[in-house]
Amino acid sequence: MNPTIGWIRQLAESWGVPAVLVPLVPFLILLIALYAVIGLAAYGAKRKWARADKTIAFWLFISPWLIGFLIFTVGPMISSVYVSLTSWDLITPPTFVGFGNYTEAFQDPKVAQALKVTLLYAVISVPLQTVLAFLVALLMNVDLPGIRLFRTIWYLPSLVSGVAQMVLFLWVFNPQYGLANDLLAKVGIQGPGWFNDASWALPTVILMSLWTVGSAMVIYLAGLKDVPLNLYEAAALDGASVTRVFWHITLPQLSPIILFNILTGIIGALQIFTQGFIADGGPKNSLLFFVYYLYENAFQNFRMGYASALAWMLFVIILALTAVTARASSFAVYYETEQGGGGRRRRSSRKAR
């Protein structure tokens, strides 16, 4: 424990603070100190600039989120950079090893397997989820009696937690008495081993991921409702077919939303964990996802330094793939409000029109 924090806790105990509240005292003192600094800065700004009221109000209102972000997000991230350069078992003091953890990770065959499984899952599941969610949104974008009920039914699986989903599908895809193999047997097909088969475990998880396309479907549906009706009316007057209307109006108008869903899908797919955890990595490490291997090193093998190095490797991979996807999308994404941007984006907008 930090000596300063220990001294504050001892002081709080001497003041008669209940034992349950003692761990909160250093945090409260830190908050008071931060707000004191903000208050002094605001006072000085107000005396120097007569019209600084709105700026002061902005920083005061955003300060709860900003302080929480700095303490609970940025702080641990910076700390993990140092931890990734050490060998630490959470019990003994960390030992500085430099880039030894990263060197080991590049030579670790399990890291290669985890990257292979995770990237394969992302490459297959994200396009399938994107297309299925878009098609369902097109089907739900009609004014029929009871359509709201069907939209709700499609969205409800997205509210089920990952553990509950995995437990449910372990029963559905049970090779002996599961629903999937029972239905296949009725049509004369012998079902596979699903999660118990190394060659079928990952495809089963990909099939399972299609059950929760409802959240993306809702976003697509909101985008479809926002497409200007005058564009469809003009196309109808010109005699455009349904296919041409879809390719030249609906798809360009929804391209920013498609990009958003693809980016969030990639980030989410690369961080998949629950399925690998419940399946314990799957047979022959067929479900050894990267985050699960990171967790295994951190909280089962107590190699926090190595796990931190893996976390930063994953961060760089996600950042790189997101940047490449966003950069590549500039040739295909149409932004209706963009009129004075770069030449490449303007050409893509005219092409989309």
Side-chain angles (χ1 to χ4, degrees):
M1 182 186 296
N2 186 284
T4 304
I5 295 177
W7 176 79
I8 293 174
R9 294 183 65 169
Q10 290 177 1
L11 187 63
E13 290 173 355
S14 66
W15 287 347
V17 177
V20 179
L21 300 178
V22 167
L24 295 177
V25 173
F27 178 69
L28 292 175
I29 292 176
L30 177 62
L31 279 182
I32 293 171
L34 286 173
Y35 273 107
V37 172
I38 293 174
L40 290 173
Y43 177 75
K46 191 172 182 179
R47 291 195 62 181
K48 190 172 183 180
W49 297 291
R51 298 182 179 181
D53 291 348
K54 291 184 178 180
T55 304
I56 294 171
F58 165 78
W59 285 108
L60 286 176
F61 278 112
I62 202 177
S63 62
W65 175 88
L66 187 60
I67 292 171
F69 177 73
L70 292 174
I71 294 176
F72 298 111
T73 302
V74 176
M77 287 182 67
I78 295 174
S79 176
S80 71
V81 174
Y82 168 73
V83 173
S84 71
L85 302 175
T86 66
S87 176
W88 186 32
D89 59 3
L90 299 177
I91 301 175
T92 59
T95 304
F96 187 78
V97 296
F99 291 99
N101 289 323
Y102 295 94
T103 304
E104 181 183 349
F106 282 109
Q107 299 172 352
D108 189 347
K110 277 198 168 184
V111 170
Q113 174 66 11
L115 278 175
K116 172 187 172 184
V117 172
T118 305
L119 291 175
L120 193 60
Y121 170 80
V123 167
I124 299 175
S125 67
V126 173
L128 288 177
Q129 292 177 27
T130 302
V131 173
L132 180 60
F134 189 73
L135 293 177
V136 172
L138 290 175
L139 291 175
M140 297 294 109
N141 189 35
V142 293
D143 293 324
L144 292 175
I147 192 64
R148 293 183 179 180
L149 174 62
F150 285 101
R151 293 171 184 168
T152 304
I153 292 173
W154 271 100
Y155 178 70
L156 280 178
S158 302
L159 302 178
V160 181
S161 67
V163 175
Q165 289 179 26
M166 189 62 183
V167 172
L168 171 64
F169 279 96
L170 282 174
W171 283 91
V172 171
F173 291 114
N174 188 288
Q176 296 180 353
Y177 45 82
L179 177 63
N181 281 2
D182 186 52
L183 293 176
L184 290 174
K186 291 183 183 301
V187 294
I189 300 176
Q190 183 179 359
W194 304 110
F195 288 111
N196 296 336
D197 189 341
S199 59
W200 273 94
L202 185 60
T204 304
V205 173
I206 293 172
L207 285 174
M208 179 181 145
S209 70
L210 301 180
W211 193 57
T212 56
V213 297
S215 56
M217 179 269 296
V218 170
I219 298 175
Y220 284 129
L221 190 58
L224 288 169
K225 296 293 184 184
D226 197 47
V227 177
L229 293 177
N230 61 324
L231 297 178
Y232 291 122
E233 292 170 355
L237 291 174
D238 290 340
S241 63
V242 176
T243 305
R244 292 183 68 85
V245 168
F246 174 78
W247 282 106
H248 296 285
I249 295 178
T250 304
L251 205 57
Q253 289 287 324
L254 289 182
S255 55
I257 298 175
I258 295 173
L259 173 63
F260 171 80
N261 279 330
I262 289 176
L263 289 177
T264 54
I266 290 173
I267 294 170
L270 292 176
Q271 297 182 81
I272 183 173
F273 166 75
T274 306
Q275 290 82 347
F277 175 74
I278 299 296
D280 197 21
K284 298 179 181 179
N285 290 328
S286 56
L287 294 180
L288 185 68
F289 296 111
F290 198 90
V291 177
Y292 172 66
Y293 186 55
L294 187 158
Y295 164 85
E296 189 180 67
N297 277 282
F299 301 107
Q300 293 181 3
N301 301 333
F302 298 104
R303 302 188 62 197
M304 190 58 69
Y306 189 55
S308 297
L310 293 178
W312 278 103
M313 288 176 61
L314 181 62
F315 174 80
V316 171
I317 292 170
I318 291 176
L319 186 64
L321 290 178
T322 302
V324 169
T325 304
R327 179 64 178 172
S329 70
S330 63
F331 297 94
V333 177
Y334 167 71
Y335 296 96
E336 186 177 3
T337 58
E338 197 171 83
Q339 296 178 357
R344 180 178 297 168
R345 184 63 61 84
R346 289 202 303 272
R347 287 197 296 271
S348 66
S349 299
R350 287 197 296 270
K351 184 178 180 181
R353 288 192 182 93

